[in-house]
Amino acid sequence: MSSTTDRDRGQALAVFVLSLTTVLLAAALAFDAGDMLVERRTEQNAADAAAMAGARYILDSESQAATAARNLAARNGFADGVASQLVHVNIPPTEGQWTGFRNAIEVRIGNTRPSLFGGIMGVAGWPVSARAVAAQFDGVGGPWAFLALHETQCD
Protein backbone atom coordinates (compact mmCIF):
# COMPACT_ATOMS: atom_id res chain seq x y z
CA MET A 1 0.00 0.00 0.00
CA SER A 2 2.86 2.41 0.66
CA SER A 3 4.19 1.97 -2.91
CA THR A 4 0.90 3.23 -4.37
CA THR A 5 0.97 6.27 -2.08
CA ASP A 6 4.58 7.08 -3.02
CA ARG A 7 3.70 6.84 -6.73
CA ASP A 8 0.72 9.18 -6.24
CA ARG A 9 2.94 11.70 -4.49
CA GLY A 10 5.38 11.59 -7.40
CA GLN A 11 2.57 12.28 -9.87
CA ALA A 12 1.31 15.19 -7.82
CA LEU A 13 4.82 16.63 -7.68
CA ALA A 14 5.24 16.36 -11.47
CA VAL A 15 1.87 18.05 -12.09
CA PHE A 16 2.73 20.78 -9.57
CA VAL A 17 6.11 21.49 -11.22
CA LEU A 18 4.56 21.67 -14.70
CA SER A 19 1.73 23.90 -13.47
CA LEU A 20 4.11 26.18 -11.60
CA THR A 21 6.32 26.51 -14.68
CA THR A 22 3.32 27.43 -16.82
CA VAL A 23 2.10 30.00 -14.30
CA LEU A 24 5.56 31.57 -14.00
CA LEU A 25 5.93 31.84 -17.79
CA ALA A 26 2.49 33.46 -18.06
CA ALA A 27 3.39 35.92 -15.26
CA ALA A 28 6.69 36.75 -16.96
CA LEU A 29 4.93 37.36 -20.26
CA ALA A 30 2.35 39.57 -18.53
CA PHE A 31 5.15 41.56 -16.86
CA ASP A 32 6.95 42.05 -20.18
CA ALA A 33 3.70 43.05 -21.91
CA GLY A 34 2.96 45.59 -19.18
CA ASP A 35 6.47 47.00 -19.46
CA MET A 36 6.03 47.24 -23.23
CA LEU A 37 2.74 49.14 -22.81
CA VAL A 38 4.41 51.61 -20.42
CA GLU A 39 7.17 52.15 -23.00
CA ARG A 40 4.53 52.68 -25.73
CA ARG A 41 2.75 55.30 -23.61
CA THR A 42 6.05 57.07 -22.89
CA GLU A 43 6.90 57.12 -26.59
CA GLN A 44 3.43 58.41 -27.49
CA ASN A 45 3.72 61.23 -24.96
CA ALA A 46 7.14 62.18 -26.37
CA ALA A 47 5.91 61.98 -29.98
CA ASP A 48 2.85 64.14 -29.20
CA ALA A 49 4.95 66.79 -27.47
CA ALA A 50 7.58 66.76 -30.24
CA ALA A 51 4.96 67.12 -32.97
CA MET A 52 3.35 70.08 -31.19
CA ALA A 53 6.76 71.70 -30.66
CA GLY A 54 7.51 71.31 -34.37
CA ALA A 55 4.09 72.61 -35.38
CA ARG A 56 4.85 75.80 -33.47
CA TYR A 57 7.57 76.64 -36.03
CA ILE A 58 6.15 74.98 -39.16
CA LEU A 59 4.98 78.24 -40.74
CA ASP A 60 8.37 79.91 -40.18
CA SER A 61 10.77 77.20 -41.33
CA GLU A 62 10.55 73.45 -41.95
CA SER A 63 14.11 72.93 -40.73
CA GLN A 64 13.42 74.89 -37.55
CA ALA A 65 10.26 72.84 -36.99
CA ALA A 66 12.13 69.55 -37.49
CA THR A 67 14.91 70.69 -35.14
CA ALA A 68 12.41 71.70 -32.46
CA ALA A 69 10.68 68.32 -32.73
CA ARG A 70 13.95 66.37 -32.51
CA ASN A 71 15.17 68.48 -29.58
CA LEU A 72 11.99 67.93 -27.60
CA ALA A 73 12.05 64.19 -28.34
CA ALA A 74 15.65 64.11 -27.06
CA ARG A 75 14.65 66.01 -23.90
CA ASN A 76 12.06 63.29 -23.33
CA GLY A 77 14.70 60.58 -23.66
CA PHE A 78 14.42 59.62 -27.34
CA ALA A 79 17.32 60.48 -29.64
CA ASP A 80 17.75 59.00 -33.09
CA GLY A 81 20.48 56.36 -33.19
CA VAL A 82 20.98 56.14 -29.43
CA ALA A 83 20.39 52.69 -27.88
CA SER A 84 18.31 51.34 -30.81
CA GLN A 85 16.00 54.39 -30.73
CA LEU A 86 14.56 55.90 -33.89
CA VAL A 87 13.17 59.42 -34.20
CA HIS A 88 11.85 60.32 -37.64
CA VAL A 89 10.40 63.73 -38.46
CA ASN A 90 8.48 64.10 -41.73
CA ILE A 91 7.27 67.40 -43.16
CA PRO A 92 4.74 66.87 -44.66
CA PRO A 93 3.46 63.62 -43.08
CA THR A 94 3.97 60.48 -45.15
CA GLU A 95 0.74 58.68 -44.25
CA GLY A 96 -2.68 59.22 -42.73
CA GLN A 97 -5.22 61.95 -43.28
CA TRP A 98 -2.59 64.74 -43.27
CA THR A 99 -0.40 63.21 -46.02
CA GLY A 100 1.03 65.93 -48.22
CA PHE A 101 -0.10 68.92 -46.10
CA ARG A 102 2.87 71.30 -45.87
CA ASN A 103 1.66 72.84 -42.60
CA ALA A 104 1.72 69.50 -40.77
CA ILE A 105 4.55 67.62 -39.09
CA GLU A 106 4.74 63.89 -38.34
CA VAL A 107 6.96 62.48 -35.60
CA ARG A 108 7.65 58.75 -35.33
CA ILE A 109 9.47 57.35 -32.32
CA GLY A 110 10.52 53.73 -32.18
CA ASN A 111 12.58 51.55 -29.91
CA THR A 112 13.34 47.90 -29.29
CA ARG A 113 12.42 47.25 -25.69
CA PRO A 114 14.54 44.47 -24.18
CA SER A 115 12.54 41.61 -22.78
CA LEU A 116 13.15 40.94 -19.10
CA PHE A 117 11.57 37.51 -18.84
CA GLY A 118 10.71 36.73 -22.45
CA GLY A 119 14.28 35.57 -23.02
CA ILE A 120 13.28 32.38 -21.26
CA MET A 121 10.92 31.72 -24.16
CA GLY A 122 13.38 32.97 -26.80
CA VAL A 123 12.05 36.56 -27.15
CA ALA A 124 15.00 38.95 -26.78
CA GLY A 125 13.06 42.19 -27.25
CA TRP A 126 9.82 43.84 -28.32
CA PRO A 127 9.60 46.49 -31.05
CA VAL A 128 7.60 49.47 -29.76
CA SER A 129 6.69 52.62 -31.70
CA ALA A 130 4.43 55.65 -31.64
CA ARG A 131 3.37 58.26 -34.18
CA ALA A 132 1.99 61.77 -33.79
CA VAL A 133 0.94 64.46 -36.24
CA ALA A 134 0.42 68.13 -35.47
CA ALA A 135 -0.53 70.94 -37.80
CA GLN A 136 -0.90 74.68 -37.84
CA PHE A 137 -3.93 75.69 -39.90
CA ASP A 138 -6.58 78.35 -39.71
CA GLY A 139 -10.18 77.18 -39.77
CA VAL A 140 -9.51 73.43 -39.84
CA GLY A 141 -12.33 72.69 -37.43
CA GLY A 142 -12.67 69.52 -35.44
CA PRO A 143 -13.52 68.25 -31.98
CA TRP A 144 -10.15 69.14 -30.42
CA ALA A 145 -8.17 71.96 -28.90
CA PHE A 146 -5.05 72.31 -26.79
CA LEU A 147 -3.38 74.89 -24.66
CA ALA A 148 0.43 75.07 -24.53
CA LEU A 149 1.94 76.74 -21.50
CA HIS A 150 5.51 77.95 -21.10
CA GLU A 151 7.56 75.22 -19.38
CA THR A 152 9.20 77.47 -16.77
CA GLN A 153 6.77 80.40 -16.45
CA CYS A 154 3.58 78.48 -15.53
CA ASP A 155 3.06 76.15 -12.60
Side-chain angles (χ1 to χ4, degrees), residues 27-129:
L29 183 62
F31 184 82
D32 276 349
D35 199 35
M36 179 186 66
L37 290 173
V38 168
E39 177 72 17
R40 165 75 169 75
R41 183 72 263 168
T42 303
E43 286 180 10
Q44 187 65 58
N45 289 343
D48 289 343
M52 285 193 285
R56 158 65 180 86
Y57 299 101
I58 195 98
L59 297 178
D60 299 332
S61 162
E62 286 185 9
S63 64
Q64 188 177 5
T67 300
R70 283 189 191 95
N71 287 343
L72 196 62
R75 286 179 56 194
N76 282 300
F78 298 99
D80 194 37
V82 175
S84 77
Q85 297 174 352
L86 300 172
V87 177
H88 294 285
V89 177
N90 299 314
I91 302 171
T94 57
E95 67 179 62
Q97 103 182 51
W98 300 104
T99 301
F101 284 97
R102 297 304 276 158
N103 293 352
I105 182 170
E106 172 186 46
V107 177
R108 291 178 177 272
I109 296 178
N111 193 8
T112 300
R113 182 81 181 153
S115 176
L116 298 174
F117 296 107
I120 298 168
M121 298 181 303
V123 179
W126 306 95
V128 182
S129 64

Side-chain angles (χ1 to χ4, degrees), residues 1-12:
M1 214 183 215
S2 65
S3 65
T4 304
T5 306
D6 290 341
R7 191 172 44 207
D8 290 344
R9 285 186 192 159
Q11 290 174 358

